[in-house]
Every structure is written in structure tokens, then in C-alpha cells.
Amino acid sequence: MATVLEPLPPPLLSAAAQRFTTSFLSPEVCSPSLRFTSLASSRGSSRGHSIHCKAQTTKEFAVPRRNAMALIFSSYILSRVDLRNIAFAQQSVGFREYIDTFDGYSFNYPQNWIQVRGSGADVFFRDPFVLDENLSVEFSSPSSSSYKSVEDLGSPQEAAEKVLKQYLTEFMSTRLGVRRESNVLSTSSRVADDGKMYYQVEVNIKSYANNNELAVMPQDRVARLEWDRRYLSVLGVENQQLYELRLQTPENVFAEEEKDLRQVMDSFRVNKVAG
């Protein structure tokens, strides 16, 4: 039975969702200040922000006539500035903890992500704003696997090659003119606070397709980029099973989402199932 714990911090938008939020400044002098709330490692973290404003006053304010036109012109220019592109402080989202006591794993996920049923994975969550950003958990069958440790996969690099091969197999397409480019970006291993070894793997996959796949002449079949994604996997072994936490995100939003995604990766644990 899976359990979802209530969030500790108040709901906040993810970094990707902030693109939909417009911030306007009042005609006051504002100084942003950050406040941080630290939680136990593997329980997630949150960071909020507040902007304290204090009105600025002067005893005298006189505008020389020769500067009047300059002020009017500068006011017009400022009114055309799109304040939506101004970022004052990045917010990190809060997290919920997902615990599956029946299958033996747990992780933290962004509290504004939604669970999707029928995805084929054991559990699946996605960002409601960036639809290509999601996470899932899969594990090997207990009847056909007898893993003792994640090191049974070999080194982290060898495990990464297996993970990448599995991704490419799943993304295999029968369409004409489809081409995939892929490479392993990084691999690492760590011993978590539960004493177990975990492998972390990052790969990039790009998909290209011809704009006119039925064209006869080669010059009429121009390859275009369909998608460019970062895939992050955490591998762990327990109950003689291999568990994999998968994270997917578009490459062009990875930088702004990286901190939260790595918190999800670091929170993943595999747990002993009561027999």
C-alpha cells in the first residue's frame, strides 16, 4: 500500500511554472530577502522568499523645465519593459514523500506534481506545467531476479550503458527517417544513509525526424529536431530486485529544475518488504 504524506512547507510553484507568473514592482524601494527552511536529508527542502519594501521619501522634489521632456520620455520607455522577464529570486518547491510499503521503495516528489494512472510504470508523476517532465519507478520481477547488490550490474559506467540501451529500445520507432542521438553524460555511486549502494546515471537523447519522410529526393527530406531530453536514473537493490527511479525533463529547462530534480534523486530509497 502506497502512502503519501502531507507537505511540510506551504505550496509553491515549481521553477518551470514561474514562467507563467508575472511580477510587478510598486513605486517603492524594495530589497529582497530570503528565508530558508532546512529539513532532514531525504525529506526534501523548501525555500521561500519575501520582499520587504520601504517607501522612499524626500523633503523636496523639483523637476527643472528642461528635464521635463526627458522624464516623460524615460517614463514611456520604462512602461514598455516586460517585467515578466525579470527574476528576483528562484523558489524551490516543497516536497511530499511517497512510500510504497508493499513493493518496498520511497522517494520525495515536488508537491505540485500530479499522479497519472495507467502509465505502465509502478508509479508515475508529472509536472502539470511542463508535460515532458515526469518521474516513474520500475523494478524487476521478484520471481525472475536474484540481485544481491547494485554492483551486480558492474561498474556505474557499465550500468549506464545498460540503462541507455534500455531507453533506446523503448523509444524505437517504425517511422521512416527517425534518428536518435544519445550519450551518457555522467555516472556515479553513493552509499545512502540506509547503508545501501545506489548508482546514479544521466543520459541525453535527441530525436530527429524528416519533415517529409515520403519524399523521393534526398534534398526534400530535411531532418528536424523533435525533442531533446535529459534522463536521470537511480538504481538500487533490495528484496533481490533491481529498482529504478526515472526522471525525465526537457534539456532546455534542466538547468532551472536541476536542484529540485537532484533532491528527488537523493531521496530515493529501497526498503525491505515484510515477508
Side-chain angles (χ1 to χ4, degrees):
M1 179 180 67
T3 304
V4 178
L5 302 185
E6 290 302 316
L8 292 176
L12 294 172
L13 291 177
S14 69
Q18 292 181 33
R19 293 194 299 272
F20 297 89
T21 306
T22 304
S23 300
F24 296 96
L25 293 179
S26 61
E28 296 176 331
V29 178
C30 301
S31 60
S33 64
L34 301 178
R35 62 179 185 275
F36 299 88
T37 303
S38 299
L39 305 178
S41 64
S42 78
R43 286 296 181 272
S45 66
S46 65
R47 179 175 66 180
H49 79 279
S50 59
I51 298 180
H52 302 285
C53 301
K54 182 178 180 180
Q56 186 182 54
T57 59
T58 58
K59 292 182 179 181
E60 297 180 359
F61 182 76
V63 180
R65 185 173 301 179
R66 63 179 175 271
N67 293 336
M69 291 304 296
L71 285 173
I72 294 173
F73 181 74
S74 61
S75 298
Y76 172 78
I77 294 298
L78 289 174
S79 69
R80 308 298 295 178
V81 174
D82 188 358
L83 293 178
R84 290 174 295 181
N85 295 325
I86 301 176
F88 294 96
Q90 290 289 332
Q91 295 183 9
S92 290
V93 300
F95 291 86
R96 287 191 177 99
E97 184 177 25
Y98 183 90
I99 303 174
D100 189 329
T101 56
F102 182 79
D103 292 310
Y105 64 87
S106 63
F107 60 88
N108 297 336
Y109 68 95
Q111 64 179 4
N112 62 335
W113 284 26
I114 58 177
Q115 187 171 0
V116 179
R117 309 286 183 177
S119 64
D122 191 65
V123 67
F124 187 94
F125 288 89
R126 68 172 177 82
D127 189 316
F129 299 100
V130 184
L131 301 186
D132 266 356
E133 189 167 62
N134 56 62
L135 70 83
S136 61
V137 174
E138 298 180 3
F139 46 83
S140 61
S141 170
S143 61
S144 61
S145 60
S146 57
Y147 290 94
K148 302 300 181 184
S149 166
V150 72
E151 294 174 294
D152 290 349
L153 297 173
S155 67
Q157 182 64 35
E158 290 173 321
E161 297 297 336
K162 293 181 176 71
V163 168
L164 181 55
K165 182 179 179 180
Q166 180 63 31
Y167 276 128
L168 294 176
T169 300
E170 294 174 7
F171 297 148
M172 191 175 295
S173 175
T174 58
R175 291 182 298 150
L176 297 175
V178 173
R179 175 172 55 89
R180 301 279 158 72
E181 290 183 359
S182 61
N183 62 298
V184 176
L185 300 178
S186 69
T187 63
S188 63
S189 62
R190 64 180 175 86
V191 177
D193 54 8
D194 58 0
K196 299 184 181 72
M197 174 77 74
Y198 293 86
Y199 283 175
Q200 294 188 342
V201 174
E202 294 184 37
V203 302
N204 171 263
I205 303 178
K206 297 180 177 66
S207 178
Y208 295 88
N210 293 335
N211 60 345
N212 187 359
E213 60 186 31
L214 300 179
V216 177
M217 303 303 293
Q219 61 269 23
D220 295 329
R221 299 192 297 270
V222 180
R224 59 180 177 80
L225 180 66
E226 286 188 305
W227 45 261
D228 181 7
R229 297 172 184 158
R230 176 82 59 109
Y231 294 91
L232 308 98
S233 292
V234 183
L235 305 168
V237 168
E238 184 57 274
N239 307 306
Q240 296 187 327
Q241 295 171 264
L242 175 64
Y243 293 77
E244 181 182 9
L245 170 74
R246 291 183 170 191
L247 285 160
Q248 170 187 299
T249 185
E251 195 68 49
N252 62 349
V253 302
F254 173 73
E256 60 181 313
E257 298 283 347
E258 180 177 6
K259 181 179 179 181
D260 293 332
L261 295 177
R262 296 205 183 281
Q263 284 187 259
V264 175
M265 294 177 70
D266 292 341
S267 72
F268 184 59
R269 298 289 184 273
V270 292
N271 310 309
K272 192 73 176 176
V273 174

